[in-house]
Amino acid sequence: MSHSPEGVPAEAGRGGCWRIDDLARRADVTVDTIRYYQREGLLPPAERAGRANLYGPSPLEALARIKELQGRRFSLAAIRALLTSDRGDFVEGLFGGAEGRTYTLDELIDRSGIDRELAIEVHAAGVLREPQEYGRDAYDAEDLELVQTLAELHRLGVPRSAVVEMARTYAEGIEATQRRVVELFTTGGGIDWTDDEFAAFQRAAVAHAAAILPLARQLVDYTHHRTIQRLTLGAIERGDLPPQDA
């Protein structure tokens, strides 16, 4: 086998074997970006060939995938999960959001017209969390809709402290509920599964994740609405609510 003066095999650069600068050019990124992604565990390491480190097709494909996911506003943590998990479809269905405009917190406040102090309090209460916590790299239309909802509640006369407490109560209750749901899918929850039953359940959940998630949201919405109806009716019957013209 012949070698270049740098000790790199003569066929390097042909058939999908490149040095880091060649890989960077092919992927249209910088060398520093490649090194950063390697440190973050997003790219496999180079292979040693003589005195050079060479990269094959796999890192090039990963770089293209990273660029695509970044364009869809996935956070770095979500991208890592997608690239390293053997349940990529499930992860993508869970963390993928609608494409479109993104916002900073200040932009959410300005666009929604919410009272700034209310927005800051809700954010501090852990209701409007940092987008990286749920796999996004910025706030999006769902977050804007939430902030607009809070602003409307305040406009209708619900005091700021009550809006914050209402949001915090929902967030804490849903956190506890969803932890139990996640445990159902990850550890089996409180069901007495056989090993084969649980393995089949997990396979089905992963295979149909994209369809299961919106169905689960419908279940949540239904339960929430019916529970509000039932508890409000009870409050009316007990005389706990003031008359409408009070």
Side-chain angles (χ1 to χ4, degrees):
M1 177 184 296
S2 61
H3 290 77
S4 69
E6 293 84 6
V8 179
E11 64 271 21
R14 299 196 302 271
C17 253
W18 311 288
R19 288 171 294 191
I20 190 169
D21 53 341
D22 296 320
L23 177 65
R25 282 193 294 271
R26 285 176 175 269
D28 194 24
V29 298
T30 66
V31 169
D32 286 342
T33 296
I34 291 176
R35 289 176 174 151
Y36 171 69
Y37 288 160
Q38 286 182 306
R39 290 194 301 271
E40 292 296 317
L42 300 178
L43 290 178
E47 296 182 3
R48 193 72 179 172
R51 296 194 298 274
N53 291 324
L54 297 181
Y55 297 83
S58 179
L60 184 62
E61 293 169 1
L63 287 167
R65 179 70 165 147
I66 291 169
K67 187 175 293 188
E68 178 220 341
L69 293 170
Q70 286 177 325
R72 295 167 58 193
R73 318 310 302 181
F74 282 86
S75 70
L76 198 63
I79 291 173
R80 183 185 299 108
L82 279 165
L83 293 178
T84 60
S85 174
D86 59 355
R87 298 177 178 179
D89 290 343
F90 175 77
V91 175
E92 185 162 1
L94 182 62
F95 290 103
E99 299 182 38
R101 181 169 176 179
T102 59
Y103 308 92
T104 65
L105 179 59
D106 284 341
E107 288 170 339
L108 285 181
I109 294 172
D110 292 341
R111 189 172 179 85
S112 67
I114 194 173
D115 176 82
R116 178 168 287 271
E117 291 186 15
L118 172 57
I120 297 302
E121 286 184 41
V122 169
H123 185 268
V127 179
L128 183 65
R129 293 180 175 270
E130 292 297 320
Q132 290 77 16
E133 293 188 51
Y134 46 87
R136 312 297 289 168
D137 70 352
Y139 294 110
D140 59 22
E142 286 193 56
D143 303 296
L144 178 60
E145 185 177 5
L146 167 69
V147 178
Q148 289 172 331
T149 297
L150 298 173
E152 181 65 8
L153 285 169
H154 194 209
R155 189 190 69 78
L156 292 173
V158 181
R160 189 170 70 236
S161 59
V163 174
V164 174
E165 184 62 21
M166 182 179 177
R168 180 187 291 111
T169 299
Y170 273 122
E172 291 175 353
I174 291 171
E175 176 91 11
T177 299
Q178 294 291 47
R179 283 185 182 276
R180 291 182 61 185
V181 174
V182 170
E183 288 174 2
L184 172 64
F185 283 85
T186 56
T187 67
I191 298 178
D192 187 20
W193 305 90
T194 67
D195 289 344
D196 288 344
E197 287 173 339
F198 186 53
F201 165 62
Q202 285 194 310
R203 285 195 299 271
V206 171
H208 302 291
I212 289 174
L213 288 169
L215 294 175
R217 291 187 69 165
Q218 290 180 21
L219 175 59
V220 171
D221 290 344
Y222 173 86
T223 306
H224 167 267
H225 184 62
R226 291 304 191 206
T227 301
I228 284 287
Q229 288 178 320
R230 179 170 51 82
L231 295 180
T232 301
L233 180 60
I236 293 171
E237 290 173 343
R238 293 191 304 272
D240 293 340
L241 295 180
Q244 189 170 351
D245 56 355

